[in-house]
């Protein structure tokens, strides 16, 4: 679905990607962003701290000049990086992703998890490097991501299936076993986080990590 190109509607669509308490900060960010060449596309909805947000799948604004971005507050810069992690250019997505993985804000988490379900291998590797706490029981990162997944099980299921699909279609030649694919490694870390959060097993929608090269998508 493509959203209307009326600028006011585009601004509303981008503001909807964040909790309402951040509306003023989002408007400050939008004020420095160049006009989009196309409207943001295919928003997906997730729950963040009891509020539904709608995050665009792709964004078509060029990056703002550094002199315009510099005066933004820390929160506003994080909002800008989140939005540009949805950019249509994978290199832009990766560059901005690397600025948000260390954040402890719950509203940042869906932007990172969404990228784990996409096709750019370098982005998967960047997420793995940026979330070292996922491997640490009881860490803040484990709690943050585990809580988000527990609140959004259908979203995580879609993410799992997309990871398997991209591995099978594009990367099986390089990673013969699904368990060696960086996307699988991320999913296992996310699964460990949510199991620690809920204190129970979590449904799996992928081949087991030790599945051999002949095993296809679940």
């Amino acid at each position: 679905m493509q959203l209307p190109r009326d600028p006011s509607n585009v601004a509303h669509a981008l503001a909807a990607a964040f909790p309402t308490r951040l509306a003023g900060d989002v408007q400050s960010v939008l004020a420095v962003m160049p006009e989009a060449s196309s409207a943001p596309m295919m928003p997906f909805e997730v729950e963040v701290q009891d509020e539904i947000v709608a995050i665009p799948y792709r964004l078509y604004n060029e990056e703002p000049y550094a002199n315009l971005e510099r005066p933004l507050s820390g929160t506003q810069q994080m909002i800008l990086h989140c939005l540009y992690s949805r950019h249509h250019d994978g290199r832009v997505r990766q560059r901005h992703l690397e600025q948000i993985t260390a954040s402890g804000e719950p509203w940042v988490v869906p932007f990172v998890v969404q990228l784990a379900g996409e096709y750019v291998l370098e982005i998967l590797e960047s997420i793995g490097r940026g979330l070292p706490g996922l491997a640490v029981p009881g860490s803040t990162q484990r709690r943050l991501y585990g809580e988000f997944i527990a609140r959004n099980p259908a979203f995580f299921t879609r993410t799992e299936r997309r990871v398997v699909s991209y591995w099978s279609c594009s990367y099986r030649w390089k990673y013969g076993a699904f368990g060696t694919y960086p996307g699988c490694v991320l999913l296992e870390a996310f699964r460990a986080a949510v199991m620690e959060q809920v204190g129970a097993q979590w449904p799996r929608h992928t081949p087991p990590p030790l599945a051999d090269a002949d095993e296809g998508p679940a």
Side-chain angles (χ1 to χ4, degrees):
M1 177 177 67
Q2 186 166 21
L3 298 171
R5 295 197 60 180
D6 180 334
S8 63
N9 286 343
V10 170
H12 177 76
L14 297 183
F18 301 94
T20 53
R21 65 182 175 81
L22 296 175
D25 289 310
V26 174
Q27 292 306 315
S28 296
V29 172
L30 298 182
V32 306
M33 291 172 58
E35 185 176 345
S37 58
S38 296
M41 295 185 68
M42 301 171 62
F44 56 92
E45 292 187 345
V46 291
E47 179 187 335
V48 176
Q49 294 185 311
D50 300 318
E51 187 172 352
I52 300 299
V53 298
I55 298 173
Y57 182 70
R58 284 290 179 261
L59 194 73
Y60 296 92
N61 303 67
E62 293 301 318
E63 294 173 281
Y65 292 113
N67 65 313
L68 296 176
E69 179 182 341
R70 199 172 295 117
L72 297 176
S73 70
T75 295
Q76 291 163 1
Q77 290 188 21
M78 192 63 60
I79 289 170
L80 183 142
H81 291 310
C82 284
L83 287 174
Y84 280 94
S85 76
R86 307 309 316 133
H87 196 268
H88 65 92
D89 185 321
R91 290 167 296 185
V92 175
R93 292 200 299 278
Q94 181 178 2
R95 188 161 60 246
H96 289 277
L97 160 73
E98 291 171 349
Q99 300 301 312
I100 66 176
T101 50
S103 173
E105 293 288 357
W107 47 267
V108 171
V109 174
F111 290 89
V112 178
V113 177
Q114 172 66 19
L115 282 166
E118 296 187 14
Y119 60 88
V120 180
L121 183 60
E122 292 80 4
I123 287 179
L124 299 179
E125 294 169 340
S126 290
I127 296 172
R129 289 192 299 269
L131 298 177
L134 284 181
V136 181
S139 71
T140 298
Q141 278 188 340
R142 263 205 177 188
R143 179 192 56 76
L144 194 66
Y145 282 79
E147 180 179 283
F148 172 76
I149 293 167
R151 288 172 175 264
N152 295 276
F155 175 71
F156 186 63
T157 295
R158 290 195 300 273
T159 301
E160 288 181 286
R161 289 173 172 158
R162 291 178 62 154
V163 169
V164 176
S165 179
Y166 284 125
W167 163 72
S168 182
C169 293
S170 302
Y171 294 108
R172 192 191 289 249
W173 64 271
K174 184 173 183 178
Y175 301 96
F178 180 63
T180 64
Y181 177 52
C184 175
V185 175
L186 273 178
L187 290 180
E188 291 307 304
F190 288 145
R191 185 173 287 107
V194 69
M195 288 194 297
E196 182 174 283
Q197 185 69 26
V198 303
Q201 291 296 310
W202 195 258
R204 176 184 297 281
H205 302 92
T206 68
L210 300 180
D212 62 32
D214 293 328
E215 178 136 15

